[in-house]
Amino acid sequence: MNTNNHQITVYGAYGHTGRFVVAELRDRGFTPVLSGRDEDRLRALAAAHPGTEVRPATIDDPAALDRALAGAAAVINCAGPFATTAGPVVEAALRAGIPYLDVAAEIEANLDTFAHFADRARAAGAIVVPAMAFYGGLGDLLAGAVLDGATRADEVHIGYGLSSWHPTAGTRAAGAVSSQRRDGRRLRYRDGRLQYHDAEPATTTWDFPAPLGPRTVIAEFTMADVVTLPSHLDVGEVCTYMTTEAARDIAAPDTPAPAAVDARGRSGQTFAVDVRVHAGGTQRRAVARGQDIYAVTAPLVVEAVRRVLDGETRTVGVASAGEIFDPADFLRALSARGVLDVTR
């Protein structure tokens, strides 16, 4: 792997999260190559980032995808719905012989990536990291830091304390695709397996650390953590919870998209991700606090790219954040850069 090559292709570069990723890559000394399906939007983004190259590509055009990845050190896929984009972009990355990372929160798309590419990627010595994002990646890193090298847990509970959730168009599209694939059913990870069910969601109280404090949450508000954690941990139950305020926002069709409140383009949304791991009769906990779930995805995935290219990885094949990286060290790096406030 050429660690001196700083070109990183960003597929879906002009999307809400893609723009944060492009800016973060530039801040970290990488050269983003802008790719995606809409050439006009790519060129508009390039005008704001002088010197960046535009390489349009649709997912049904393998030759165009090959051109988009040619000469790059890695590709970051930010284009949802990932049920549509992940497979073709992973295939292109395998042909190019470069690492693939994405920011997919779609449970089914992440399951597909593990199911369809695990054997091929491992045999090729390739690196494929799905869900390297706020959902799926951050919870996996926090649980891994708590476990400190152990690989078994009885239960992992993750409370998402979001002050609000103004969804992007991509989030809404991904949610619609997932709902269709599930036939409207809900999903949980219990008894060591994924279970589809029709039970009504329950509410409970989650005692978040200050300043959030006790909040009403929806239990089994299932996120990508039910894919990432069990992919490498022997765990009986993974349950995720969402503050009711955020759940109402994401469910309402008229909730507006995120609006920037600072020079970095972040929204005013704040969050606390509270991970509680039950193992051997004890409970251990780690909490990460920050601002804007979409914006924080960018330093997560760019730090991951940096570590992959520098050889700071623990396995090959399709692997989640908590398996391929040293979770505690990864979180320390983000804390040192002021991205997250992490306590254990």
Side-chain angles (χ1 to χ4, degrees), residues 22-341:
V22 168
E24 182 73 15
L25 284 167
R26 288 174 64 94
D27 287 348
R28 297 292 299 268
F30 293 99
T31 302
V33 175
L34 311 182
S35 188
R37 293 162 283 198
D38 190 322
E39 183 171 358
D40 291 340
R41 295 179 71 184
L42 288 171
R43 296 202 178 280
L45 179 61
H49 294 282
T52 53
E53 186 178 352
V54 168
R55 299 183 189 173
T58 57
I59 56 167
D60 58 355
D61 187 343
L65 286 172
D66 290 344
R67 290 191 294 272
L69 273 55
V75 58
I76 301 173
N77 183 8
C78 300
F82 292 89
T84 303
T85 67
V89 182
V90 174
E91 291 280 8
L94 291 174
R95 290 194 299 271
I98 63 174
Y100 167 96
L101 302 91
D102 70 34
V103 298
E106 295 166 45
I107 294 170
E108 290 78 14
N110 290 317
L111 287 169
D112 287 347
T113 299
F114 278 99
H116 297 162
F117 295 105
D119 292 341
R120 286 175 55 195
R122 189 182 306 110
I127 287 176
V128 175
V129 186
M132 192 60 242
F134 178 80
Y135 292 117
L138 181 54
D140 195 26
L141 290 167
L142 289 164
V146 167
L147 285 166
D148 194 23
T151 58
R152 190 186 184 286
D154 301 314
E155 302 173 7
V156 178
H157 296 266
I158 304 176
Y160 285 104
L162 274 58
S163 63
S164 61
W165 190 355
H166 288 211
T168 64
T171 295
R172 289 202 183 278
V177 169
S178 287
S179 181
Q180 287 176 343
R181 292 187 67 178
R182 295 177 200 168
D183 247 354
R185 294 173 297 169
R186 301 180 66 236
L187 186 64
R188 63 189 172 207
Y189 188 90
R190 188 183 292 178
D191 300 325
R193 62 186 179 88
L194 284 169
Q195 302 175 2
Y196 290 89
H197 65 97
D198 296 309
E200 289 298 313
T203 60
T204 186
T205 300
W206 187 284
D207 189 12
F208 289 98
L212 273 178
R215 294 294 178 98
T216 302
V217 296
I218 295 178
E220 292 185 354
F221 193 99
T222 305
M223 304 305 294
D225 311 276
V226 299
V227 179
T228 54
L229 274 75
S231 72
H232 63 103
L233 299 177
D234 178 8
V235 57
E237 180 177 355
V238 178
C239 190
T240 56
Y241 307 73
M242 181 65 65
T243 45
T244 53
E245 304 96 319
R248 282 195 296 267
D249 283 345
I250 193 71
D254 57 349
T255 301
V261 299
D262 64 21
R264 293 165 59 183
R266 297 182 300 177
S267 73
Q269 176 198 55
T270 58
F271 64 79
V273 181
D274 188 355
V275 175
R276 303 178 187 184
V277 178
H278 300 256
T282 64
Q283 176 186 282
R284 287 176 286 173
R285 181 183 192 184
V287 180
R289 302 174 184 82
Q291 179 179 345
D292 193 329
I293 64 173
Y294 297 107
V296 82
T297 287
L300 278 162
V301 74
V302 173
E303 177 66 19
V305 164
R306 199 278 302 164
R307 287 173 181 253
V308 167
L309 296 182
D310 285 350
E312 297 177 26
T313 53
R314 307 193 296 188
T315 189
V316 296
V318 181
S320 67
E323 179 180 19
I324 196 167
F325 303 116
D326 178 328
D329 187 63
F330 196 110
L331 292 168
R332 278 194 296 270
L334 293 182
S335 295
R337 298 188 61 245
V339 173
L340 293 171
D341 174 19

